[in-house]
Amino acid sequence: MKFVSLVPLVLVLMLSKAGDSIEDYCLEEQKFKETLGEALYNHIASDKNDDKDKSYRKISLKSDKVYKVITYGSPETKEALIKIVDQKDSELVLTEIKRLILLKDLKVTPNYEGCLKLNDKYIIIHEKVHDDLFSEKMIGMFKGLNRVKKTFKFIQIAMAIQTLHSKKLTHQSIRPYNIVSVDPEMTDLRILDLSYSKEIGDSVNLGKSDY
Protein backbone atom coordinates (compact mmCIF):
# COMPACT_ATOMS: atom_id res chain seq x y z
CA MET A 1 0.00 0.00 0.00
CA LYS A 2 1.47 3.35 -1.06
CA PHE A 3 1.87 5.87 1.78
CA VAL A 4 0.41 9.31 1.06
CA SER A 5 1.75 12.18 3.16
CA LEU A 6 -0.89 14.27 4.88
CA VAL A 7 1.48 17.23 5.36
CA PRO A 8 0.49 19.09 2.13
CA LEU A 9 -3.20 18.63 2.98
CA VAL A 10 -2.65 19.98 6.50
CA LEU A 11 -0.80 23.00 5.12
CA VAL A 12 -3.61 23.72 2.69
CA LEU A 13 -6.18 23.55 5.47
CA MET A 14 -4.08 25.81 7.70
CA LEU A 15 -3.62 28.39 4.95
CA SER A 16 -7.32 28.35 4.14
CA LYS A 17 -8.04 29.32 7.74
CA ALA A 18 -5.33 32.01 7.91
CA GLY A 19 -6.56 35.57 7.93
CA ASP A 20 -10.05 34.65 9.16
CA SER A 21 -9.55 36.54 12.42
CA ILE A 22 -9.36 40.30 12.86
CA GLU A 23 -6.32 39.69 15.07
CA ASP A 24 -4.44 38.50 11.96
CA TYR A 25 -4.78 42.00 10.48
CA CYS A 26 -4.93 44.56 13.30
CA LEU A 27 -1.57 45.13 14.95
CA GLU A 28 -0.83 45.52 18.63
CA GLU A 29 1.08 48.57 19.88
CA GLN A 30 4.71 47.48 19.39
CA LYS A 31 4.20 45.85 15.99
CA PHE A 32 2.28 48.90 14.79
CA LYS A 33 5.11 51.21 15.86
CA GLU A 34 7.63 49.05 14.01
CA THR A 35 5.48 48.89 10.87
CA LEU A 36 3.89 52.35 10.56
CA GLY A 37 5.96 54.41 12.98
CA GLU A 38 5.78 55.76 16.51
CA ALA A 39 4.63 59.23 15.42
CA LEU A 40 1.41 57.87 13.92
CA TYR A 41 0.79 55.58 16.88
CA ASN A 42 1.37 58.32 19.45
CA HIS A 43 -0.99 60.69 17.66
CA ILE A 44 -3.80 58.14 17.46
CA ALA A 45 -3.25 56.95 21.04
CA SER A 46 -3.40 60.52 22.38
CA ASP A 47 -7.13 60.55 21.49
CA LYS A 48 -7.24 64.35 21.21
CA ASN A 49 -8.65 64.56 17.70
CA ASP A 50 -11.67 66.72 18.41
CA ASP A 51 -13.03 69.78 16.63
CA LYS A 52 -10.70 72.11 18.57
CA ASP A 53 -7.58 70.20 17.59
CA LYS A 54 -5.89 71.61 14.46
CA SER A 55 -4.33 68.23 13.71
CA TYR A 56 -7.78 66.81 12.94
CA ARG A 57 -10.31 67.65 10.25
CA LYS A 58 -13.44 66.11 8.82
CA ILE A 59 -13.49 65.45 5.08
CA SER A 60 -16.84 67.25 4.82
CA LEU A 61 -19.65 68.63 6.96
CA LYS A 62 -21.54 65.38 6.27
CA SER A 63 -18.76 63.20 7.67
CA ASP A 64 -19.17 61.95 11.21
CA LYS A 65 -16.48 60.96 13.67
CA VAL A 66 -15.96 57.55 12.07
CA TYR A 67 -13.61 59.07 9.46
CA LYS A 68 -11.08 61.79 10.15
CA VAL A 69 -7.93 63.16 8.51
CA ILE A 70 -5.06 63.56 10.95
CA THR A 71 -1.78 65.45 10.71
CA TYR A 72 1.07 63.93 12.68
CA GLY A 73 4.83 63.99 13.09
CA SER A 74 7.37 66.72 13.86
CA PRO A 75 9.17 68.61 12.42
CA GLU A 76 8.16 66.92 9.14
CA THR A 77 4.42 66.34 9.14
CA LYS A 78 2.36 63.72 7.34
CA GLU A 79 -1.36 63.13 6.85
CA ALA A 80 -3.49 60.00 6.98
CA LEU A 81 -7.17 59.13 6.83
CA ILE A 82 -8.29 57.00 9.75
CA LYS A 83 -11.55 55.17 10.41
CA ILE A 84 -12.45 54.40 14.01
CA VAL A 85 -14.73 51.42 14.70
CA ASP A 86 -15.91 49.81 17.96
CA GLN A 87 -14.52 46.35 18.63
CA LYS A 88 -18.08 45.00 18.76
CA ASP A 89 -18.12 45.55 14.98
CA SER A 90 -15.03 43.42 14.39
CA GLU A 91 -16.72 41.41 11.61
CA LEU A 92 -17.37 44.61 9.63
CA VAL A 93 -13.76 45.67 10.14
CA LEU A 94 -12.50 42.27 8.99
CA THR A 95 -14.69 42.41 5.89
CA GLU A 96 -13.50 45.90 5.01
CA ILE A 97 -9.81 45.14 5.50
CA LYS A 98 -10.01 42.07 3.26
CA ARG A 99 -11.68 44.16 0.55
CA LEU A 100 -9.11 46.96 0.90
CA ILE A 101 -6.20 44.54 0.57
CA LEU A 102 -7.79 43.00 -2.53
CA LEU A 103 -8.23 46.45 -4.13
CA LYS A 104 -4.91 48.03 -3.10
CA ASP A 105 -3.21 50.01 -5.90
CA LEU A 106 -6.19 49.56 -8.26
CA LYS A 107 -7.35 53.20 -7.80
CA VAL A 108 -10.71 52.10 -6.43
CA THR A 109 -10.28 53.06 -2.77
CA PRO A 110 -7.78 55.20 -0.84
CA ASN A 111 -4.92 52.75 -0.35
CA TYR A 112 -5.00 50.73 2.86
CA GLU A 113 -1.94 51.18 5.09
CA GLY A 114 -2.73 49.11 8.17
CA CYS A 115 -4.94 48.54 11.21
CA LEU A 116 -4.37 49.23 14.91
CA LYS A 117 -6.13 47.61 17.83
CA LEU A 118 -6.32 50.19 20.60
CA ASN A 119 -8.36 49.76 23.79
CA ASP A 120 -11.96 49.09 22.66
CA LYS A 121 -11.43 50.37 19.10
CA TYR A 122 -10.08 49.24 15.75
CA ILE A 123 -8.45 52.00 13.70
CA ILE A 124 -8.13 51.47 9.95
CA ILE A 125 -5.44 53.63 8.33
CA HIS A 126 -5.65 54.82 4.72
CA GLU A 127 -3.45 57.07 2.63
CA LYS A 128 -4.43 60.71 3.03
CA VAL A 129 -7.45 62.12 1.22
CA HIS A 130 -8.53 65.73 0.78
CA ASP A 131 -12.31 66.02 0.59
CA ASP A 132 -15.40 64.10 -0.42
CA LEU A 133 -17.96 65.16 -3.00
CA PHE A 134 -20.25 66.48 -0.27
CA SER A 135 -17.72 69.07 0.91
CA GLU A 136 -18.25 72.73 0.03
CA LYS A 137 -14.84 72.83 -1.62
CA MET A 138 -15.55 69.92 -3.96
CA ILE A 139 -19.05 71.16 -4.77
CA GLY A 140 -17.55 74.53 -5.73
CA MET A 141 -14.84 72.93 -7.86
CA PHE A 142 -17.34 70.65 -9.59
CA LYS A 143 -19.63 73.55 -10.47
CA GLY A 144 -16.68 75.28 -12.13
CA LEU A 145 -15.97 72.40 -14.52
CA ASN A 146 -17.19 72.35 -18.09
CA ARG A 147 -19.45 69.54 -19.32
CA VAL A 148 -16.59 67.44 -20.71
CA LYS A 149 -14.64 67.52 -17.44
CA LYS A 150 -17.77 66.78 -15.40
CA THR A 151 -18.48 63.79 -17.65
CA PHE A 152 -14.92 62.55 -17.11
CA LYS A 153 -15.46 62.63 -13.33
CA PHE A 154 -18.56 60.47 -13.64
CA ILE A 155 -16.66 58.08 -15.94
CA GLN A 156 -13.87 57.86 -13.37
CA ILE A 157 -16.33 56.89 -10.64
CA ALA A 158 -18.06 54.42 -12.96
CA MET A 159 -14.70 52.78 -13.78
CA ALA A 160 -13.94 52.39 -10.07
CA ILE A 161 -17.31 50.71 -9.58
CA GLN A 162 -16.65 48.50 -12.62
CA THR A 163 -13.31 47.42 -11.12
CA LEU A 164 -15.10 46.65 -7.86
CA HIS A 165 -17.60 44.48 -9.75
CA SER A 166 -14.79 42.75 -11.65
CA LYS A 167 -13.54 41.56 -8.25
CA LYS A 168 -17.00 40.10 -7.59
CA LEU A 169 -17.87 42.81 -5.05
CA THR A 170 -20.73 45.27 -4.77
CA HIS A 171 -20.40 48.39 -2.61
CA GLN A 172 -23.97 48.77 -1.26
CA SER A 173 -23.61 52.45 -0.32
CA ILE A 174 -22.46 54.67 -3.21
CA ARG A 175 -23.21 58.29 -2.25
CA PRO A 176 -21.39 61.65 -2.47
CA TYR A 177 -19.70 61.44 0.94
CA ASN A 178 -18.37 57.96 0.10
CA ILE A 179 -16.53 59.34 -2.93
CA VAL A 180 -13.29 61.13 -2.06
CA SER A 181 -10.41 62.78 -3.83
CA VAL A 182 -6.87 61.73 -2.93
CA ASP A 183 -5.44 64.90 -4.46
CA PRO A 184 -6.39 68.57 -3.89
CA GLU A 185 -7.36 69.19 -7.53
CA MET A 186 -10.03 66.45 -7.63
CA THR A 187 -8.25 64.60 -10.45
CA ASP A 188 -8.14 61.22 -8.66
CA LEU A 189 -11.48 60.10 -7.18
CA ARG A 190 -11.84 56.97 -5.06
CA ILE A 191 -14.65 55.08 -3.29
CA LEU A 192 -14.74 54.98 0.50
CA ASP A 193 -16.28 52.65 3.11
CA LEU A 194 -16.44 48.98 2.11
CA SER A 195 -17.65 47.68 5.47
CA TYR A 196 -21.07 46.76 4.06
CA SER A 197 -19.86 45.55 0.67
CA LYS A 198 -20.91 42.08 -0.43
CA GLU A 199 -19.54 39.33 -2.61
CA ILE A 200 -21.55 38.65 -5.76
CA GLY A 201 -21.91 35.63 -7.98
CA ASP A 202 -21.71 35.47 -11.75
CA SER A 203 -25.50 35.24 -11.97
CA VAL A 204 -26.23 38.36 -9.89
CA ASN A 205 -27.95 41.18 -11.75
CA LEU A 206 -26.15 44.37 -10.77
CA GLY A 207 -29.24 46.56 -10.65
CA LYS A 208 -30.00 49.46 -8.36
CA SER A 209 -30.72 47.30 -5.31
CA ASP A 210 -27.22 45.79 -5.40
CA TYR A 211 -25.48 49.10 -4.87
Side-chain angles (χ1 to χ4, degrees), residues 58-187:
K58 297 179 180 181
I59 52 178
S60 82
L61 295 176
K62 187 72 175 179
S63 300
D64 57 25
K65 298 243 176 174
V66 173
Y67 280 104
K68 57 181 74 172
V69 175
I70 60 170
T71 303
Y72 65 96
S74 179
E76 183 179 351
T77 60
K78 299 178 181 179
E79 285 189 326
L81 174 71
I82 65 172
K83 180 179 183 179
I84 303 171
V85 187
D86 289 333
Q87 283 194 21
K88 64 181 177 63
D89 294 321
S90 60
E91 288 303 314
L92 292 177
V93 176
L94 180 59
T95 295
E96 182 157 21
I97 290 174
K98 286 181 176 181
R99 309 287 197 253
L100 291 170
I101 291 172
L102 178 66
L103 296 165
K104 189 174 175 66
D105 295 325
L106 295 180
K107 293 185 176 293
V108 174
T109 66
N111 276 338
Y112 170 74
E113 303 293 341
C115 178
L116 171 66
K117 180 182 178 183
L118 183 67
N119 301 324
D120 61 342
K121 306 289 185 184
Y122 289 114
I123 295 110
I124 300 174
I125 296 94
H126 295 270
E127 66 178 313
K128 70 175 182 179
V129 303
H130 288 268
D131 293 276
D132 65 42
L133 294 190
F134 210 94
S135 70
E136 293 182 4
K137 178 182 177 181
M138 287 300 172
I139 290 173
M141 290 179 67
F142 196 81
K143 286 181 177 178
L145 298 176
N146 61 39
R147 183 176 296 180
V148 173
K149 290 183 178 180
K150 286 179 180 177
T151 301
F152 177 76
K153 299 302 176 189
F154 285 113
I155 291 173
Q156 193 176 36
I157 296 167
M159 290 178 67
I161 295 172
Q162 183 181 44
T163 301
L164 195 66
H165 292 172
S166 74
K167 297 297 181 180
K168 306 301 181 186
L169 298 173
T170 180
H171 186 278
Q172 300 286 103
S173 185
I174 296 292
R175 57 192 72 189
Y177 49 88
N178 279 337
I179 298 171
V180 296
S181 177
V182 296
D183 72 312
E185 303 303 320
M186 201 172 70
T187 60

